[in-house]
Amino acid sequence: MPSLLELRTQALSHVRIGLIGLGQRGQRMIDRYRFIDGASIVAISDLSSELLEKAQKQFAISERPQPATHVGTEAWREVCERSDVDLIYICTPWDSHAEIAQVAMNAGKHVAVEVPAAMSVNDCYALIATARSTGRHLFLAENCCYDRFHLGVLSAVQQGLLGTITHCEGAYIHDLRADFGLLSESEATRGWMGTAFAQHGGNPYPTHAIGPIAHLLNIHRGDRLKTLTAMSSTPIDKQTGQGRINTALITTERGRTILLQLDMTTPRPYSRLQTTCGTEGYAQKYPLPILATSTTPQPLTGQPAEELADDLATHHPAFAFWQEGYLRGVDNEMNYAMDARLIYCLRQGLPLDIDAYDAVEWSCLTELTQLSAQQGGMPIDIPDFTEGHWQELSTHRFHT
């Protein structure tokens, strides 16, 4: 089968976007795209006419042209079939991502999808098959790959300043009990995400943790995820999942190890860990930034560590977009850098920073962590979606 490694497609002078899903992530996407050059949202769709009206007001306030609107259960299909759309941007609930992405690619559209791209290994295989047959990009909108501190660490790793990387840790630790309706007797505020988490039992939201690590370890670019074992603590309430924490250990083909964790229903302070262990250096972002390299006489902590990371990040192609977002006053610089890089690469006909293999490798962990946890931590093999092509490259590249 043909490889999707460093896929290049015809350059687009201007990227016309069809946005599917106008919930929280969709509304925020509309807001930040008023700052991004070379792209415009030409069509929007949702099940709710009220959300469509709210979105149209966002365009009016920012003095942008009103996009075409599609409402109803088949509205997303209508947007995928539009001839004036180049990129479908998916901001719907998790369990709909894979189907919409496949339909969009089969309609000749590139796809950007909120995380995760799929909830099962079978859907991951289907996504790769569709990307191969259509030659379309499948971009996973994983904003943590554009975290400022991470970009500095990634630059340090690629310069060899941390020596040989042997172990990484990542997490999504975020107290969402209030958002999930767990701090009151009423369940009125518990949306689809809280319900999906409660019903899952593994880690249905692994990409904030694994995404940056995969780039640090050159996953499917000289190494690959090989095996996984996961365990979940017993929740105090199985109906809500409150108190459940999932912890996974992953080994790679080259013998590196990865720790991943998900905790969304305890009072622990926000953390993504972002820990990188090398033979000549060490980095972590949470709870206190620490950075030690082969050129620093002693580990730097706090602000000095952040300043060194910033200095290292200036060598990274994505950091200029992070700074651009900061200067433009966007709500979240990581999101801005992510989307600005996506549009830049599409307009230049360059390989994307996050490709279809990334999308499925990171997303397949949703099912695999659940299966392993259900079997008491039984080791499970992680599929090689590249079918051996992971050995053809030696490093991850942000193309310019």
Side-chain angles (χ1 to χ4, degrees), residues 76-346:
W76 65 270
R77 293 184 185 274
E78 297 169 5
V79 176
C80 289
E81 294 297 331
R82 291 182 66 97
S83 61
D84 60 346
V85 168
D86 306 303
L87 171 70
I88 293 294
Y89 208 117
I90 304 169
C91 295
T92 56
W94 300 334
D95 58 2
S96 64
H97 289 179
E99 180 184 10
I100 297 173
Q102 290 174 72
V103 169
M105 286 188 284
N106 280 322
K109 310 300 190 289
H110 299 300
V111 170
V113 57
E114 281 288 343
V115 301
M119 300 300 290
S120 73
V121 172
N122 283 341
D123 279 345
C124 287
Y125 274 118
L127 285 170
I128 286 296
T130 305
R132 282 172 170 163
S133 65
T134 62
R136 298 295 86 187
H137 285 299
L138 174 62
F139 178 83
L140 188 66
E142 180 41 76
N143 60 0
C144 292
C145 291
Y146 300 86
D147 172 270
R148 182 178 68 176
F149 190 84
H150 165 68
L151 293 177
V153 174
L154 180 57
S155 180
V157 168
Q158 292 181 336
Q159 294 179 55
L161 299 180
L162 270 63
T164 301
I165 306 305
T166 60
H167 176 78
C168 290
E169 299 179 5
Y172 187 65
I173 299 168
H174 192 178
D175 183 1
L176 295 178
R177 291 174 300 160
D179 300 70
F180 290 174
L182 302 180
L183 297 182
S184 65
E185 295 182 1
S186 172
E187 296 185 0
T189 59
R190 188 183 305 157
W192 65 265
M193 185 175 179
T195 300
F197 167 76
Q199 296 173 346
H200 192 270
N203 183 345
Y205 205 59
T207 69
H208 287 340
I210 191 62
I213 291 173
H215 285 175
L216 287 166
L217 298 183
N218 299 313
I219 298 302
H220 80 250
R221 304 163 180 95
D223 200 358
R224 76 175 188 90
L225 304 179
K226 186 178 181 181
T227 60
L228 171 149
T229 182
M231 297 182 184
S232 291
S233 59
T234 302
I236 63 171
D237 183 342
K238 292 184 179 181
Q239 296 300 313
T240 66
Q242 186 167 6
R244 178 189 289 125
I245 298 172
N246 180 266
T247 303
L249 287 173
I250 296 172
T251 59
T252 75
E253 188 71 39
R254 291 179 53 189
R256 278 94 67 90
T257 54
I258 301 168
L259 181 148
L260 300 183
Q261 194 167 80
L262 178 72
D263 175 7
M264 295 194 287
T265 59
T266 77
R268 272 204 289 179
Y270 182 90
S271 173
R272 299 198 306 275
L273 296 180
Q274 290 187 219
T275 301
T276 307
C277 301
T279 56
E280 297 181 42
Y282 170 83
Q284 72 170 45
K285 182 173 180 180
Y286 299 93
L288 176 70
I290 301 175
L291 183 55
T293 74
S294 58
T295 61
T296 53
Q298 60 185 11
L300 302 177
T301 62
Q303 185 175 346
E306 291 183 309
E307 290 174 351
L308 176 57
D310 281 351
D311 182 62
L312 289 164
T314 60
H315 302 285
H316 195 286
F319 190 62
F321 289 100
W322 194 99
Q323 290 178 308
E324 185 176 277
Y326 174 78
L327 293 174
R328 291 184 173 183
V330 299
D331 178 56
N332 183 306
E333 297 91 348
M334 294 194 307
N335 281 324
Y336 178 87
M338 173 186 73
D339 282 331
R341 275 289 302 176
L342 167 63
I343 298 304
Y344 170 82
C345 291
L346 289 175

